[in-house]
């Protein structure tokens, strides 16, 4: 009985030993380390939605630090972009892309500034006038009155209103059409149209 127990004990010991060796040789390796991507936001007054690598949406409503929920493997690339701008603001990202290198990323910066519109009034118009602001954002006008360009610009941006297409039989000139946004909508651009004759 004692011999039998010894044999069973030895057999159990060998099974245990082989199990440990198998686990040591074939067991799962430690997972690769993962790190988070984040930074700080400033100037935000609305709701901003950021993305990392085209996903992992992050909704922000106040200034301060932020971190994306999904951690990435060491050596992975990251690219932080704006998915949805806050109403009345434009937010820009700096130091928003790179490669994880053994540590969390904490220096992505999102800076938000207020936006304002550019507009004014047209007088004397009898045809179709096409205006542009900064070489784009075409605005078609067919009657006298107030106008506003569709695209709002960041505070501090330059604006330059020009005529793209004159109305038939008229020449329209722009006054007070250029400047720099300074904390308010521009409403004093003037387009004055007069008839032309041969």
């Amino acid at each position: 009985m004692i011999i039998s127990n010894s044999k069973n004990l030895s057999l159990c010991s060998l099974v245990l030993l082989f199990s440990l060796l198998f686990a040591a040789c074939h067991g799962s390796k430690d997972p690769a380390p993962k790190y988070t991507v984040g930074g700080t936001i400033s100037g935000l007054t609305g709701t901003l939605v950021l993305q990392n690598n085209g996903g992992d949406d992050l909704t922000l409503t106040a200034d301060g630090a932020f971190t994306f929920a999904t951690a990435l493997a060491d050596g992975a690339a990251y690219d932080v972009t704006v998915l949805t701008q806050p109403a009345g603001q434009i937010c820009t990202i700096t130091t928003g892309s790179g490669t994880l290198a053994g540590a969390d990323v904490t220096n992505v910066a999102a800076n938000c500034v207020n936006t304002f519109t550019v507009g004014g009034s047209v007088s004397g118009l009898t045809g179709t006038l096409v205006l542009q602001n900064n070489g784009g954002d075409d605005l078609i006008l067919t009657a006298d009155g107030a106008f506003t360009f569709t695209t709002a610009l960041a505070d501090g941006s330059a604006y330059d209103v020009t005529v793209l297409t004159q109305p038939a039989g008229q020449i329209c000139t722009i006054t007070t059409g250029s400047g720099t946004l300074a904390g308010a909508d521009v409403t004093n651009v003037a387009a004055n149209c007069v008839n032309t004759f041969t």
Side-chain angles (χ1 to χ4, degrees):
M1 213 51 187
I2 294 173
I3 294 172
S4 177
N5 283 340
S6 296
K7 286 181 179 178
N8 287 339
L9 186 58
S10 297
L11 184 59
C12 289
S13 298
L14 285 173
V15 170
L16 179 61
L17 179 61
F18 280 120
S19 297
L20 291 173
L21 287 173
F22 183 82
C25 293
H26 301 285
S28 61
K29 296 179 180 179
D30 290 336
K34 291 189 173 185
Y35 300 100
T36 57
V37 175
T40 56
I41 186 167
S42 60
L44 181 63
T45 60
T47 299
L48 169 68
V49 182
L50 299 179
Q51 285 189 326
N52 185 24
N53 293 334
D56 197 17
D57 295 6
L58 178 62
T59 301
L60 303 167
T61 57
D63 287 352
F66 66 86
T67 303
F68 285 94
T70 303
L72 303 176
D74 192 20
Y78 63 92
D79 183 21
V80 178
T81 54
V82 174
L83 175 63
T84 305
Q85 296 280 9
Q89 290 195 301
I90 291 178
C91 301
T92 54
I93 305 295
T94 54
T95 61
S97 60
T99 303
L100 290 165
D104 293 334
V105 172
T106 60
N107 67 334
V108 177
N111 183 48
C112 303
V113 295
N114 294 334
T115 58
F116 299 98
T117 57
V118 175
S121 60
V122 61
S123 61
L125 180 62
T126 59
T128 299
L129 168 67
V130 183
L131 300 179
Q132 284 190 328
N133 185 24
N134 292 336
D137 195 19
D138 296 1
L139 180 63
I140 299 172
L141 303 171
T142 57
D144 287 353
F147 66 84
T148 303
F149 284 93
T150 302
T151 303
L153 303 176
D155 193 18
S157 297
Y159 63 92
D160 183 22
V161 178
T162 55
V163 174
L164 176 64
T165 305
Q166 295 281 6
Q170 290 195 301
I171 291 178
C172 302
T173 54
I174 305 296
T175 55
T176 60
S178 60
T180 302
L181 290 165
D185 294 332
V186 171
T187 59
N188 66 335
V189 178
N192 183 46
C193 302
V194 294
N195 295 334
T196 57
F197 301 96
T198 57

